[in-house]
C-alpha cells in the first residue's frame, strides 16, 4: 500500500539513514551531514504538524485530533482505523504522544488522491509512454526539474528502484517507481 506521510518522499525511506556513519571519506561525511539536516527538517515538520492538531496543547493527540490530522494530510480514516492506529503505537491508550505520532507518520498507509498524483508523475517521467522509466527518461525528468544528477547516481537510482527483476534492463516500472518514492504498491 502506498504510504502518505508528512515526511515527504525525497529519500523514500522515511527517517532512515542510507549511509554508514563509520565511513571515513569526506564525501560520505558531507552526505551524512546533509542527511542529518534533512532528518532535522523532517522532524521539525512532523512536530509542527503534531502541534497544529494538538488543540488542547496537552502534547497528545486524542482520537478526534488524530482523525482531523489524518484527514487533513489526505489519509481517509474511520473510527476503526483510528483505534487500530492508536493501539499500534500506544496500546491501551486513547491518544498518542509525539513519539507515537512520529511512528504513525513513518508507517505505510492507504492512499487517497495520491495514487493519481503519483501515476501522473510517473507518466511525466515516462517520456515515451512505454510503461517504464529508463535511465534516459529519469535523466531528462530530473534535468527538467533543475536537478543535475551524475550518470552514476542515475544508475544507482534505477538499480535500487528496479531491484533484482529490473536492474538488468535498466528500466523502472510503476511498482518500482512507487518503491523508489517510499510507497508500497497495493
Amino acid at each position: 500500500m502506498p504510504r502518505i506521510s508528512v515526511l515527504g518522499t525525497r529519500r523514500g525511506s522515511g527517517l532512515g539513514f542510507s549511509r554508514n556513519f563509520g565511513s571515513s571519506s569526506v564525501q560520505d561525511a558531507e552526505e551524512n551531514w546533509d542527511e542529518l539536516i534533512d532528518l532535522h527538517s523532517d522532524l521539525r515538520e512532523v512536530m509542527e504538524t503534531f502541534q497544529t492538531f494538538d488543540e488542547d496543547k496537552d502534547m497528545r493527540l486524542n482520537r478526534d485530533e488524530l482523525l482531523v490530522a489524518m484527514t487533513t494530510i489526505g489519509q481517509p480514516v474511520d473510527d476503526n482505523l483510528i483505534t487500530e492506529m492508536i493501539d499500534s503505537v500506544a496500546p491501551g491508550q486513547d491518544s498518542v504522544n509525539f513519539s507515537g505520532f512520529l511512528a504513525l507518520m513513518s508507517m505505510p498507509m492507504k492512499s487517497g488522491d495520491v495514487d493519481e498524483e503519483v501515476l501522473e508523475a510517473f507518466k511525466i517521467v515516462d517520456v515515451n509512454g512505454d510503461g517504464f522509466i529508463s535511465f534516459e527518461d529519469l535523466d531528462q525528468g530530473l534535468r527538467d526539474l533543475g536537478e543535475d544528477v551524475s550518470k552514476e547516481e542515475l544508475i544507482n537510482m534505477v538499480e535500487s528502484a528496479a531491484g533484482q527483476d529490473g536492474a538488468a534492463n535498466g528500466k523502472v516500472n510503476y511498482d518500482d517507481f512507487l518503491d523508489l518514492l517510499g510507497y508500497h504498491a497495493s
Side-chain angles (χ1 to χ4, degrees):
M1 290 185 289
R3 140 178 120 172
I4 299 175
S5 98
V6 296
L7 299 180
T9 58
R10 68 178 161 263
R11 285 186 304 285
S13 61
L15 295 176
F17 290 104
S18 61
R19 303 262 183 230
N20 176 357
F21 280 94
S23 176
S24 61
S25 83
V26 172
Q27 182 179 0
D28 284 346
E30 289 173 353
E31 289 173 3
N32 291 336
W33 181 252
D34 289 343
E35 287 185 29
L36 281 172
I37 290 170
D38 287 345
L39 176 62
H40 182 263
S41 176
D42 287 346
L43 286 171
R44 183 179 322 165
E45 183 179 343
V46 174
M47 177 56 93
E48 289 170 1
T49 301
F50 179 86
Q51 290 171 336
T52 298
F53 295 106
D54 182 17
E55 291 180 9
D56 56 8
K57 306 301 179 205
D58 64 350
M59 292 305 294
R60 299 190 69 79
L61 294 182
N62 63 36
R63 299 177 61 77
D64 293 334
E65 292 167 336
L66 186 58
L67 179 69
V68 170
M70 300 309 293
T71 303
T72 301
I73 65 170
Q75 178 62 43
V77 292
D78 59 23
D79 285 334
N80 292 333
L81 186 54
I82 290 293
T83 299
E84 289 176 28
M85 293 170 73
I86 292 173
D87 285 345
S88 73
V89 296
Q93 302 290 315
D94 61 354
S95 61
V96 296
N97 61 15
F98 175 70
S99 296
F101 184 70
L102 183 62
L104 289 173
M105 294 298 98
S106 299
M107 291 180 180
M109 297 183 197
K110 294 179 183 176
S111 72
D113 295 332
V114 170
D115 284 336
E116 290 178 30
E117 293 174 19
V118 172
L119 181 57
E120 285 305 310
F122 180 84
K123 288 178 180 178
I124 289 169
V125 180
D126 177 17
V127 177
N128 62 3
D130 66 355
F132 294 93
I133 298 173
S134 66
F135 292 112
E136 295 79 16
D137 292 342
L138 185 58
D139 182 41
Q140 185 61 48
L142 290 171
R143 290 189 195 290
D144 289 349
L145 292 171
E147 298 291 328
D148 187 25
V149 181
S150 72
K151 184 175 181 176
E152 181 180 311
E153 289 172 309
L154 286 171
I155 291 169
N156 288 338
M157 290 171 82
V158 170
E159 286 179 352
S160 68
Q164 298 291 13
D165 61 334
N169 69 8
K171 294 186 176 184
V172 176
N173 66 26
Y174 182 66
D175 288 337
D176 296 331
F177 185 71
L178 290 174
D179 288 339
L180 179 67
L181 296 178
Y183 291 83
H184 306 286
S186 52

